[in-house]
Amino acid sequence: MTTRTETDRPGVTEQASERPAMSRKAQELDRTWYSASGFVGWFTQVNHRIIGTRFIVTSFIFFLMAGIEALLLRTQLAVPENSFLTPDHFNQLFTMHGSSMMFFFAVPMMEGLGIYVVPLMIGTRDMAFPRLNAFGYYVYLIAGVTLYAAGFLGHAPDGGWFAYVPLTLPQYSPGLGLDFWATMITFIEISALVAAVELIVTVFKQRAPGMSLNRMPLFVWAMLVTMFMIVFAMPPLMVGSVMLALDRTVSTHFFMPSGGGEPLLWQHLFWFFGHPEVYIILVPALGVISSIVVTFARRPIFGYTAMVLSVVSIGFVAFGLWVHHMFTTGLPALGVSFFTAASVMIAVPSGVQIFCWIATLWGAKLRIATPLLFVLGFFFIFVLGGLTGVMVASVPFDTQVHDTYFLVAHFHYVLIGGAVFPVFGAIYYWFPKIFGRMLNETAGKWSFALMFVGFNLGFFPMHQLGLQGMPRRVYTYLFDSGWFELSLLATIGAYVFALGVLVTAVDALLSFLRKPDAPDNPWGGDTLEWATRSPPPNYNFEDIPVVRGRWALWERGDEPAGAVTGLHPGRREVLVTTLLDAEPHAVAILPGPTIWPFLAAVAVAAGFLGFIRHPIWFPIGLLLTFVGFVGWLWPRAVGGSAEEQVR
Amino acid sequence: MNAETRFDAGELPRLPADYRAPLWWGIVGLILVESVVFATLITSYFYLGIDQPEWPPAGTKTPDLVKPTLGTLVLMASSLPMHWADRGITRGDQTALRWGLLLSIALAVTFLVLKYIEYSQMGYRWYTHSYGSIAWTIIGFHSTHVIALILKTVVVSALAWIGYFSERRSLAVVVNGIYWHFVVVVWIPLYATLYWVPRILK
């Protein structure tokens, strides 16, 4: 994270000596978009590349922590009747593993990629609301750090990442662990929603002239669909987690049957979010894959329109699947049939995507580099996860394997295949752009091989374990259960997988010992982020590019088709274009660095955390937040006229 | 960059107060998110009520109509001066802006006072039963929005009284107005759910 502050210091971005000297305009732009460094400066930075990098790095750290938790769980399960972990610790660890992977790794990682890459890909200088962006990051950071700190202080939640009631109600789960969980989950949703609204507005209004919707890169399409899904999926979870927090703190009766509550209401609210959540993680990954496939096949995608339509339809159908997590709760048969049909149907657009990628790769002169390897790994793993998905979509089969290791195998194939492998591909693909350094190809290939082998070794046996009846979430099993050999194999696989992750992590760290060596467009990509330097200057583009086709940099040999003039280099100006055709129709002046978003995030956090102890913190938090937002939005030029403000 | 196509952005408007401003879209996004929250609350109300033998539960009075209807009218009326203020400033009319904002605030405060009187006399609390939980949560959540609206508008009107706004600098007033109308409009389905549905179901 600190490396960003260095590269954003004026002048330091001028790295290699072969660069031509900066023009006067570039120097002025550099000063305008400059972010202060140092300890206090860190809390004031708002540029999208800084915030995006923070999201990526922070979520990767949570990924490593959640991975360590998984290894502890697998160590406990390696042999029968093991006493490596106590049952309580086991429950806490699998709760934290699931919660961290879903809320603190997967979603923020995808948001981070979106926040970093999308503005560059659409050719603008920053996102629409830079300060809101920073606010979202602090909210996320505070939520993650608080939940882990509470865990280390003995208040770890232990109700699973799905926190089913009535187990998680105060009668059955006393202590503060689940209070922290419910509060911090509500809190982190704010961060996701903020990023969603922001990315939608940025994609709608700040695309480079000429980048009409039908010319938008598939990664941007995928991000746009994802952000709309967040807008519709996250609020119900927020309502649910607020209800859970209220049940726990002020004795409401939303979920307690004795007071007229409905335990199933929680499951509906949770899975109405929880199922789209899978696609919120998957759809950006589909965008990553499209980017990598196009670049490494060195040809345009086969079936652009079909790809866009299938991504959009995945976004819609994903909302009709949530009940397939609840087939065993005794719902009416008609409803269950509907959700079976929808669950099978979503395989269709997913299949369209796979076939379009295969058609693109077919007969192309492939450049076999690490990002493409991870994509090929994705094909294998995700298709297997999809197949078991179609299996569990059928009610009779689902009732057999429900709550067994078959499910654990299924969703790890979907999530690790559908999200972790593409994310690693994305890291290898964009690392040179973000940090100005190439990652080591040999290390990359080793990392991929270890992860691929380890993953299949670890998770494939779980299908069989599930069919043999091994239940999920048990902290141990008996000697004569017959599950020992396969469990041990799964544990060995998990360690091999972890070794593969470690190779990439170490390689990434070691790359900072080297001098920046990345060319501007190391892979020969077609999208606009490759048209600027690696890493990009503070202002992204000296001139806002103009786009004349779907493959911005392939239309006329590595350069955009034109440029926008007339933006004032002394102000943070970005071009605003129309929604459909990206015709320029205004200029927006963005606000600069400030500490207020951080203070506002602290104020919101104080309200949320205080509420665990006493309801009085709700009004206090509201008031503090209000003060924070007024400071944040207070106009710079009170007393001056509008004409002076725009000069 | 030897470009063949050039766009000159020098003459494009810098401070538009309509759909050309990203902030305008940001407020639309916020309204979308909040609409989903309110829709979820209403859905939960029905989900909790659907399996109950009686809704509201036996021993709880069906909510009275007079005070809430009066409050609803007051809240809806508050949109009018807001609209007047909003239109006013796009023509440069400072008087309409200043007094419109204050009048809206006064009406919203009246709404809150009526709500306070109504709910302090309510025979049940959020911890009484699930009906109480959802009713108090909906009222609490919406009232929090009204409070936030008032606080926000107090700041906007302070800026208005020191003459910060003009025809060219009116975006803050416009987006504040859009959000105000949203909080008013979203009250209507909430009002129908809380006060009419129990009567229809009886």
Side-chain angles (χ1 to χ4, degrees), chain A residues 230-406:
Chain A
I230 288 182
V231 164
F232 288 101
M234 298 266 180
L237 175 67
M238 262 178 102
V239 171
S241 54
V242 166
M243 285 174 175
L244 180 60
L246 291 175
D247 266 10
R248 292 185 60 90
T249 48
V250 295
S251 310
T252 52
H253 296 282
F254 287 109
F255 305 127
M256 196 63 200
S258 60
E262 284 279 357
L264 270 187
L265 176 61
W266 167 260
Q267 290 201 27
H268 278 295
L269 292 175
F270 186 82
W271 289 117
F272 186 83
F273 144 82
H275 197 83
E277 163 86 349
V278 176
Y279 291 88
I280 287 167
I281 296 167
L282 173 71
V283 171
L286 301 180
V288 168
I289 290 161
S290 293
S291 293
I292 293 177
V293 163
V294 166
T295 301
F296 289 82
R298 292 183 272 199
R299 53 154 76 154
I301 197 96
F302 175 87
Y304 175 90
T305 312
M307 291 291 280
V308 171
L309 290 179
S310 57
V311 159
V312 174
S313 56
I314 285 175
F316 278 102
V317 181
F319 282 90
L321 305 185
W322 85 93
V323 169
H324 75 207
H325 296 263
M326 301 163 61
F327 279 163
T328 55
T329 54
L331 294 168
L334 180 69
V336 167
S337 313
F338 170 83
F339 286 96
T340 294
S343 309
V344 175
M345 195 162 82
I346 200 149
V348 175
S350 313
V352 169
Q353 300 250 324
I354 304 263
F355 283 115
C356 285
W357 288 320
I358 291 175
T360 310
L361 294 169
W362 198 275
K365 265 194 171 158
L366 295 185
R367 171 177 181 163
I368 304 288
T370 311
L372 187 65
L373 287 179
F374 277 102
V375 167
L376 297 178
F378 155 88
F379 284 142
F380 182 83
I381 298 172
F382 181 72
V383 168
L384 274 181
L387 284 178
T388 50
V390 175
M391 289 160 80
V392 294
S394 110
V395 180
F397 187 85
D398 183 75
T399 41
Q400 283 301 307
V401 297
H402 191 80
D403 267 345
T404 71
Y405 265 88
F406 190 89

Side-chain angles (χ1 to χ4, degrees), chain A residues 117 120-121 291 295-296 426 428-434 518-534 541 553-554 558:
Chain A
V117 175
L120 285 165
M121 254 191 196
S291 293
T295 301
F296 289 82
Y428 277 89
Y429 184 61
W430 280 306
F431 198 89
K433 181 54 66 183
I434 300 177
D520 291 351
N521 191 356
W523 316 112
D526 67 298
T527 35
L528 285 174
E529 80 270 29
W530 305 112
T532 182
R533 300 203 306 254
S534 297
F541 300 96
L553 298 186
W554 289 353
D558 242 22

